[in-house]
Amino acid sequence: MAALADELGVPLLPWQAHVLDDALQILPNGHWARSQVGVLVARQNGKTHMMRMRILAGLFIFGEKNAIAMSQTRQLSLDTFKQTVDMAESLDWMRKRIKRVSRTNGQEELEVYCHHYPKTCGEKCERIRKYSIRAATSEGPRGSSADLLYVDELREIDEATWAAVTPITRARPNAQVFWTSNAGDLTSNVLNEQRQRALTFKSDRMGYYEYSANPGSSVDDIEGWKHANPALSYTINIQNIKDAAAFDSPDAFKTESLCLWVDSVSSPWPIQIWNDCEADISLEDGLPTWMAMDLNFNRELACLVTLQKRENGYGVFLHEWKKEGGINDLELAGEIATLTRRYRPRVLAYDPNTAGYIAPRLAQAGIPTSPTPWNSANFSIMCDQAMNAMQSRQLFHPAQETMHSHLVSCARRPASDGGWRIARRAAQVPITAAIALVMAVGHATEPQQSVSIISA
């Protein structure tokens, strides 16, 4: 492959050559020693170029019948496809073996003849070899088989897509799966699982190559820059790294340039401030109290957030209920009623779309309830109120793993009235506790109406 890259005029960088030399080891029986290869490296270090070389080598040298590539967006896959085809057409001997290039939208495919062409194959041979791209959805790869599967930016791939795509190599006798990515966050479930497997379950069938700064490195740690950017001084200028460290947010720089995991890259909430406000507190009787509840879409998770006024802000407490197949409304209403009788909330807010069957039962028991639809203008205002309370360090809480997870799983969605509201970043990741928190904070911090009496 190094010779092919040289001939194409785009030599492999030392780190790329190191990865490919190890990943493409061959067993005595002629099969690949590695069936899965993962590469974690910071942005703009050349992982896509390395994979272009791997795809071309598979088609023109290794004799692989089918190569399939996907990324988190179709445009990225299409860009890689076009660049790969351009390279194949740049050398005379490769261009002569190209049978067909389809650039039709949704049917992009490169077909090449085997190495016997133009002669007939005198032995068992895959006469036609193909490279195509697929949508990064659970339906995109179905019905396909591949000798080489390439998944780019694994941090953006969801569980359903990964579960659908990995079986397409099983029917091939000598297949490889390559994935590349830079660091993700707590919601990058597929990437996090694959990395954890690579680090804890040793297997010669897995090749894992990570270029990252040491955990805890600061954004101005030059040694960390070098560890995460193996192309530094080759194709990356150190001044560009300095500029990114100065102009990017710390979380974005750590993820994109240092290849370090952070809690959240795109959550609207100031997660570090939230973490800093962890405190050894508990619910108390007799304090001003507000409650809010929400259920997730399949009703297998319910979250009740209780806010209590304290001297320097509000204590935040979470109760949660989980049940596979769905939570019993009567049982949930009974347990919430018990909590409300003890702490006597001024209001219990809820989204009618998720808790509309439970709130009326609580209202019948004399509990003051307030419908607060997620898609309402009022909820959008409450998102701002919750943001202000969090940024001003008014929300104190004990360690609550579910709340932390739901906060980092939020995305910021513009509202039609010019405001914004939280929404789920991924279809399978709940933000139930975060929605309940927004409602509770919104009711607790809403301006109190006052009545002025003017005498004539």
Side-chain angles (χ1 to χ4, degrees):
M1 284 185 60
L4 176 62
D6 289 342
E7 189 175 1
L8 286 165
V10 282
L12 295 176
L13 299 178
W15 82 266
Q16 296 168 330
H18 167 74
V19 168
L20 292 173
D21 284 347
D22 189 77
L24 300 180
Q25 293 181 64
I26 299 175
L27 298 172
N29 64 2
H31 287 188
W32 299 118
R34 317 286 192 204
S35 61
Q36 185 175 139
V37 177
V39 181
L40 195 75
V41 67
R43 296 282 301 276
Q44 299 298 313
N45 276 271
K47 55 183 180 288
T48 304
H49 170 60
M50 179 184 71
M51 289 310 303
R52 288 195 295 265
M53 294 299 100
R54 173 63 184 88
I55 292 168
L56 289 174
L59 295 174
F60 288 91
I61 300 173
F62 302 151
E64 293 171 336
K65 182 179 180 180
N66 284 314
I68 293 177
M70 65 168 52
S71 185
Q72 82 270 30
T73 66
R74 172 177 165 74
Q75 188 58 50
L76 286 177
S77 294
L78 190 58
D79 289 345
T80 301
F81 175 84
K82 292 177 178 178
Q83 293 162 1
T84 304
V85 171
D86 288 345
M87 285 186 171
E89 291 178 333
S90 68
L91 291 181
D92 186 61
W93 68 271
M94 296 177 77
R95 185 170 58 253
K96 289 179 179 178
R97 284 177 53 185
I98 294 176
K99 178 187 178 185
R100 182 179 69 94
V101 178
S102 171
R103 292 184 172 87
T104 303
N105 186 35
Q107 301 178 31
E108 292 83 1
E109 190 171 73
L110 169 64
E111 291 188 355
V112 304
Y113 290 107
C114 70
H115 60 283
H116 297 112
Y117 183 82
K119 299 178 181 179
T120 58
C121 302
E123 57 189 67
K124 185 177 180 180
C125 180
E126 302 290 358
R127 181 70 170 175
I128 305 299
R129 301 159 187 178
K130 300 179 181 179
Y131 161 43
S132 55
I133 61 177
R134 293 288 187 275
T137 66
S138 59
E139 298 300 321
R142 295 191 184 276
S144 305
S145 63
D147 299 277
L148 171 64
L149 168 65
Y150 171 43
V151 182
D152 188 20
E153 290 300 343
L154 189 67
R155 74 176 192 173
E156 303 293 345
I157 303 298
D158 61 33
E159 293 98 323
T161 300
W162 183 251
V165 72
T166 49
I168 71 175
T169 60
R170 293 177 186 168
R172 303 300 295 168
N174 188 27
Q176 278 193 316
V177 176
F178 271 75
W179 58 260
T180 58
S181 187
N182 62 332
D185 58 29
L186 293 182
T187 66
S188 305
N189 295 333
V190 174
L191 174 61
N192 294 342
E193 180 181 355
Q194 293 305 309
R195 181 175 184 264
Q196 186 65 22
R197 286 177 179 272
L199 296 176
T200 58
F201 302 109
K202 292 185 178 180
S203 170
D204 291 337
R205 299 290 286 162
M206 173 69 178
Y208 180 69
Y209 315 88
E210 177 175 326
Y211 294 85
S212 61
N214 291 326
S217 296
S218 63
V219 297
D220 56 358
D221 183 352
I222 296 179
E223 288 303 310
W225 300 356
K226 295 177 182 178
H227 293 162
N229 295 272
L232 193 62
S233 79
Y234 292 96
T235 59
I236 295 180
N237 187 302
I238 195 169
Q239 184 59 51
N240 294 336
I241 302 284
K242 290 180 180 179
D243 291 344
F247 302 139
D248 292 351
S249 70
D251 280 355
F253 183 81
K254 287 180 180 180
T255 302
E256 305 289 351
S257 299
L258 295 184
C259 221
L260 290 175
W261 261 252
V262 296
D263 284 346
S264 174
V265 176
S266 58
S267 172
W269 305 114
I271 298 299
Q272 189 57 54
I273 293 178
W274 172 262
N275 292 341
D276 291 343
C277 290
E278 183 177 321
D280 184 15
I281 57 174
S282 58
L283 282 165
E284 297 180 20
D285 297 330
L287 294 177
T289 299
W290 296 262
M291 288 182 173
M293 63 176 296
D294 192 47
L295 282 77
N296 72 335
F297 67 96
N298 61 11
R299 303 181 66 79
E300 293 184 347
L301 171 67
C303 292
L304 174 73
V305 169
T306 301
L307 227 67
Q308 290 194 322
K309 181 66 176 174
R310 302 296 170 98
E311 182 178 349
N312 53 350
Y314 298 89
V316 179
F317 308 93
L318 174 67
H319 289 85
E320 57 181 309
W321 294 263
K322 296 180 181 179
K323 186 175 182 180
E324 188 174 345
I327 296 171
N328 184 290
D329 289 351
L330 284 175
E331 292 178 359
L332 178 60
E335 293 186 34
I336 292 177
T338 299
L339 290 169
T340 59
R341 282 193 291 269
R342 176 171 179 179
Y343 297 108
R344 304 181 64 83
R346 299 185 178 186
V347 69
L348 191 152
Y350 69 97
D351 185 344
N353 297 309
T354 60
Y357 289 99
I358 299 172
R361 301 181 188 276
L362 298 172
Q364 290 172 3
I367 300 167
T369 60
S370 175
T372 310
W374 170 86
N375 58 357
S376 65
N378 195 30
F379 185 85
S380 178
I381 294 171
M382 288 180 173
C383 286
D384 268 333
Q385 291 172 273
M387 177 67 77
N388 291 336
M390 199 177 294
Q391 289 178 332
S392 58
R393 300 177 181 269
Q394 295 182 53
L395 303 181
F396 302 91
H397 56 92
Q400 300 168 135
E401 182 178 346
T402 297
M403 179 65 79
H404 184 273
S405 173
H406 288 199
L407 287 172
V408 302
S409 298
C410 291
R412 183 186 183 110
R413 178 179 294 181
S416 59
D417 59 0
W420 66 281
R421 62 174 58 88
I422 56 173
R424 289 183 295 169
R425 288 177 55 193
Q428 304 300 319
V429 181
I431 59 170
T432 314
I435 290 174
L437 174 65
V438 166
M439 291 190 288
V441 174
H443 282 280
T445 60
E446 65 182 349
Q448 300 299 310
Q449 294 183 348
S450 60
V451 178
S452 299
I453 300 176
I454 303 175
S455 58

